[in-house]
Amino acid sequence: MKDNIVGAAAAAFLSVIVPSHSFTLPSSHRVAIPNGVSTTPSQPFQYASIEPHLFSTVSDSKKGADTTTKKYDPSDDFTGKSPSKILGDKVPYSDLTVGVLKESYPGENRVSIAPDSAKLLVKAGMSVVVETGAGEKASFSDAAYVSAGCVVLPREQIYAQADVVTKIRPPDELEVPLLSKKTLVSMISPGINSDLYSELTKQETNVFALDCVPRMLSRAQTYDVLSSQANIAGYRAVIEAANNFPRFFAGQMTAAGKVPPAKVLVLGVGVAGLAAIQTAKNMGAIVRAFDVRAVTKEQVESMGATFLEVPIQEDGAGAGGYAKEMSDEYKAAQAQLMLDQAGDVDVIITTALIPGRKAPILVNQEMLDVMKPGSVLVDLAAANGGNVAQTEADKVITTSNGVTIIGYTDLPSRLASTSSTLFGNNVAKFLLSIGPQTTKEKGIFQIDMEDDAVQNMLITYKGEARWPDKITPFNPPPPPSKAEDDTVELSEEELLLAANEQQKADFIRNAGIASAAAFALLAFGYNADSSDEVSLMATFALAGLAGYQVVWGVAPALHSPLMAVTNAISGMTAVGGMLLLADQSQSGGLIPDSPSHWMGAIATLLSFVNISGGFLITGKMLDLFRRPEDPNDYFEFYAIPSALILGGLGAAYLGGNLDSVSGTVSIVAAVCCIAAIAGLADQKTARTGNVLGIAGVGFGLASTFADMSILGAEAAGFQQVALLGGVGATAGAAVASRVGPTELPQTVAAFHSLVGLAAMAGAAGEYLGNAGNLDAGTLTAIYLAVFIGGITFTGSIIAFSKLSGMMNSAPLQLPGRDQLNLGMVGMIALGMVAFLNPAVVDSAGFNPDSVQLASLSSSAILSSILGLHLVASIGSADMPVVITVLNSYSGWALVAEGFLLGNSLLAQVGALIGFSGAILTWIMCEAMGRSITSVIFGGVGTSIAAPGETAEIEGEVTIGSVDNLLESLLEADNII
């Protein structure tokens, strides 16, 4: 009978207020209208007001519920839903409903859950019901909530349906009875609103007080509505001050006269104070700030403001991140400082507010009396009595001497949309943390007192008042105590003995390295065919030593530009292609007339693409480091020595001594390339290093043109080089000019692949043009150049694909990964044996030339597959190191080309790039904690996940705002 009466009353009531309103209502949502519900507008509870805040939650339709849209039917029978018992019990998200009420406090424009925040809860599996019109004043329509997956209902049905009710302001006298035996998430301030707190406890309302968040708990910053709203309050305070200030904030100098900038003083450098400082600075004011906590000085100065200091050393940092009470001596000195500032500044913004306590007076009557007419004070602590002597809450007053005091308590509400969204995100993330944060059970809401955030914010639970006596305030764990020093002190004799042992070990290691190098050099000498080869080895060794030495001085921040510039220099593979086009007779046309010439054309074209694009990419990288205050560069003066060198080369051509001068110019090219890497050691000389690299490659190409002339190249050969070089350089410049800052690293890898392919083409062309007439040393160099070039070619393509997101960033983990790599290396080694000595397969009746060609082709194919697999087996996080490895490989390919062509320039530049790349690889592996063996050999030594095995994600992720991140960075001693 009682249920029928309630149902009839509900039908009559709803037929009046929603006669034709359509909304999504799952069939499982049966609503009872509580007895005593009044349809008259709610009146605010007579409790002390607090700083306004916003909260947002999201809910999802319950599993198994009928979520089809239906029009409300007044004849529906609403059955009462018993109060849910959430705390302590495991409640699946699918059984949990979050209710969002429209704020009833006069002038409150925010809503506790914005649509974007609601999506978080809906996606997690909760149901969210929102009161009709709850977000209108914050510019959130009911339709926006429906789109987010919420159900929009009248106010009475929110109370009947919701397990958890969210609000911003404390509930008023009409709302409190409706929250009996439910869970409330709201701002409460139990220390001020003691009557409200007592009433909620008596009726067994479980209350999470958002203003009781443990602010020293790092992950609680995600739930910290005090900070998110204080940030907005600080911003809005400056806007209100500017609106009431009778001058510009920014100074101006015009023909009509000079307007000085406003002087703004911010008292209290918390979240609100920092936001006020930033906003005032952005508006052009002169900003000063003061705080008793010395740690805030660096934060203030980092924003360009002046930090005021009391001439007495005393730190005011207290518990919970707030300021502590200072000594009388300090207060007297502070008062004098503030009095002096009050007479000088135009705007004062006060932010000293600790929730639940009366605000301290920062600006007394004496300070007010000395302020200039037209000055403005904005008191962010007006809700708790104010920091200014004459502050009146929610009023703007003007003192007898013309000073305006703004005491608004609703500053965040004046930016309702933004503050609602931030507040809502805080609360949604808090709700989603209750349970999973400590129990690790996803999708289960469960109160766990082991959760410091829950334990501090749960102020009443099942009729038991927990605040303040039963709450254990969170304090950060003390720094780990240093283990007792059990180091045994050694005597002088023992120290000397240990030093001798270490010295002996170092000498043994160095002697071993020197012995290996001596053996290698002697082996080379015994097998060298001429003194020219020995001379070539000498230039290789010296260039390698130079590359080894200069790379150690490169700053870590310049490692990427270093990789880019060495990649561009490795475009000297063009030398091999140009000499191939010069070697042998040409038909007289621009089209290559033999396989050897085709290989030379490919090598030349690709190399010029890399040279042009590589140096442009390096320049773009270095521009990212350029600061406005850096002095100008006058590289145009370098045209004088460049013209002298090139002019001398031209004169040598006319004078008949081109051979010796060409060799001299190649020495200049090698020196410039070495100086280029040395220039990358410091930001001040980095751009000069790039220019020297361009000069080195330019001189090297000029020297090669001279060598072509010495070899008797026909006009067609020069024309082909000019055409191919022009097309390649244009293409490289076109690609590089379109690359954005975030795409620079992967573009370096893309260009690098061209170097590998050019090295393969150059070596193959040398073989094809001289098959049957090559000695063992030259054949070895050709095979190694093809092998290294193949790995560089495909490996660089995979590195580009991973860095650009075209491939999965995870490492490829084929079964038998290491065995596959070893097998391919073994097959390539067997191919080299057949290539160097085709007689080993004479018994099979194969032609030696065919055996060599097949061996070289198989090496090209297998090395390309090997490069692909080696790099694909490494994750994207290690791609920068992989690129340095490939960069080193390209250097060794150049060395091989240098030896097969007898070209000292290629041997020198190749040794420079090879050694510098190898050292840089070691440096980066050490810095990143990577195994250099694993990087070089495609992840060798790392485990391979079993098929279908999912990697377990461990640890915790804390998500916070930009302001929280900024504050954490400023306070951190070390950043990883």
Side-chain angles (χ1 to χ4, degrees), residues 521-644:
L521 287 173
L522 285 173
F524 178 83
Y526 275 109
N527 291 278
D529 295 325
S530 66
S531 59
D532 290 341
E533 290 187 6
V534 176
S535 177
L536 197 61
M537 174 58 74
T539 61
F540 162 78
L542 292 175
L545 181 62
Y548 173 86
Q549 291 295 332
V550 298
V551 77
W552 287 105
V554 177
L558 294 172
H559 282 171
S560 291
L562 174 63
M563 287 188 289
V565 80
T566 51
N567 166 66
I569 293 173
S570 65
M572 292 289 279
T573 47
V575 170
M578 293 167 65
L579 293 178
L580 282 173
L581 292 174
D583 196 18
Q584 303 180 28
S585 61
Q586 294 272 0
S587 62
L590 292 177
I591 305 299
D593 57 4
S594 68
S596 175
H597 290 155
W598 273 109
M599 292 295 102
I602 292 172
T604 303
L605 176 66
L606 297 179
S607 297
F608 271 93
V609 173
N610 180 70
I611 291 170
S612 174
F615 281 120
L616 279 175
I617 290 296
T618 305
K620 283 191 169 187
M621 284 185 173
L622 295 176
D623 286 342
L624 297 176
F625 293 89
R626 192 178 182 96
R627 298 165 297 188
E629 63 270 20
D630 285 347
N632 294 330
D633 296 316
Y634 299 96
F635 294 129
E636 58 269 21
F637 291 109
Y638 289 170
I640 298 173
S642 299
L644 183 62

Side-chain angles (χ1 to χ4, degrees), residues 703-729:
S703 174
T704 305
F705 269 107
D707 292 340
M708 291 176 65
S709 179
I710 294 170
L711 290 172
E714 301 177 4
F718 288 102
Q719 292 169 358
Q720 288 171 347
V721 171
L723 177 62
L724 293 168
V727 172

Side-chain angles (χ1 to χ4, degrees), residues 234-235 237-239 242 248-251 261-266 272-289 299-307 347 349:
Y235 167 84
V238 178
I239 302 301
F248 297 137
F249 257 40
K263 297 177 183 177
V264 177
L265 173 61
V266 178
L274 290 171
I277 291 170
Q278 183 180 36
T279 307
K281 283 293 295 181
N282 290 343
M283 294 178 68
I286 297 173
V287 184
R288 304 166 187 170
Q299 300 173 5
V300 170
E301 293 177 343
S302 70
M303 291 184 167
T306 301
F307 185 77
V347 175
I349 298 173

Side-chain angles (χ1 to χ4, degrees), residues 59 76 118 142 184 208 211 241 264 453 482 509 616 733 885 961 971:
S59 82
D76 282 349
D142 289 349
L184 172 66
F208 286 101
D211 45 304
V264 177
K482 295 182 180 180
R509 183 185 69 252
L616 279 175
V885 173
S961 67
E971 293 178 356

Side-chain angles (χ1 to χ4, degrees), residues 845-900:
F846 292 109
N847 180 279
D849 289 342
S850 299
V851 170
Q852 287 185 320
L853 185 60
S855 299
L856 192 62
S857 300
S858 63
S859 173
I861 295 171
L862 285 173
S863 63
S864 298
I865 297 173
L866 179 61
L868 185 152
H869 186 241
L870 284 173
V871 178
S873 299
I874 299 174
S876 294
D878 292 332
M879 283 303 109
V881 185
V882 171
I883 293 176
T884 64
V885 173
L886 297 172
N887 205 32
S888 180
Y889 287 169
S890 67
W892 305 126
L894 277 177
V895 169
E897 269 203 275
F899 275 92
L900 74 88

